[in-house]
Amino acid sequence: KPFWHPFKLAIATAPVLAASGEVFVTQPVVQIQDATGRTVVTDDTTRVTFAINSGQGNLGGPTTVTASKGVARFTDLTLTGSLTGEYVLKARAAIHNANAAEIETAELRLSDLSVLSVSAPRVAEGDTGETTQLVFKVTLSPASNSEVRVNYADAQTGTATSGTDYTAIEGDTGIFAAGETEKDITVMIT
């Protein structure tokens, strides 16, 4: 098969899971590659589907996307069900090459993926003029072999008032370096 024709799928970015039913922290990215493993940048038509190959649960969100320049980027995928079971997630596409259309797949085991969790800390509100730190511990387990970026912001839910009861977080990104498993996010309580 000539090297410039689509030949196989490769999961370039593995998803990082959140809680059941929550949008994946990191969405999967699938490359359409030639026989030598290079991305086929001329491919803007291959439709790639991400699905549960085995395991109990439901994959939600847009599960089929069309590649752009040989890359299929998924957005807003969720997994509903027990995140402790043995799932196999599969990327699947009909690859049209010089010889024929073939179904190509790439698989990931859920046990190989990182899951993000956030603690639910509590702190007594201080007296007027005092500030207290409320520290959320964010855990990535198991550690990822590559950098993981986590976007976070103030959801403004509950009875506390931003600006009066606490200093809002306007939106930021926590970066887990390869191998790192914990980050702290601090909110100042006033």
Side-chain angles (χ1 to χ4, degrees), residues 30-110:
V30 178
Q31 292 177 339
I32 294 128
Q33 297 179 341
D34 65 17
T36 66
R38 292 183 293 191
T39 302
V40 181
V41 296
T42 56
D43 189 333
D44 290 328
T45 59
T46 298
R47 293 181 53 79
V48 179
T49 299
F50 213 72
I52 297 175
N53 191 46
S54 66
Q56 299 295 315
N58 295 307
L59 193 64
T63 57
T64 300
V65 298
T66 301
S68 174
K69 296 184 180 175
V71 178
R73 297 181 189 281
F74 290 84
T75 60
D76 300 324
L77 287 181
T78 62
L79 179 62
T80 303
S82 170
L83 299 183
T84 59
E86 183 55 42
Y87 288 89
V88 176
L89 302 176
K90 179 184 277 191
R92 185 173 191 261
I95 300 290
H96 300 281
N97 57 41
N99 298 326
E102 299 175 8
I103 302 297
E104 292 294 330
T105 61
E107 292 185 349
L108 284 171
R109 295 197 174 283
L110 184 63

Side-chain angles (χ1 to χ4, degrees), residues 8 15 30-31 50 57-58 69 96 119 130 132 134 136 168 184:
K8 63 183 179 178
V30 178
Q31 292 177 339
F50 213 72
N58 295 307
K69 296 184 180 175
H96 300 281
S119 67
E130 290 184 22
T132 304
L134 180 64
F136 292 87
D184 289 341

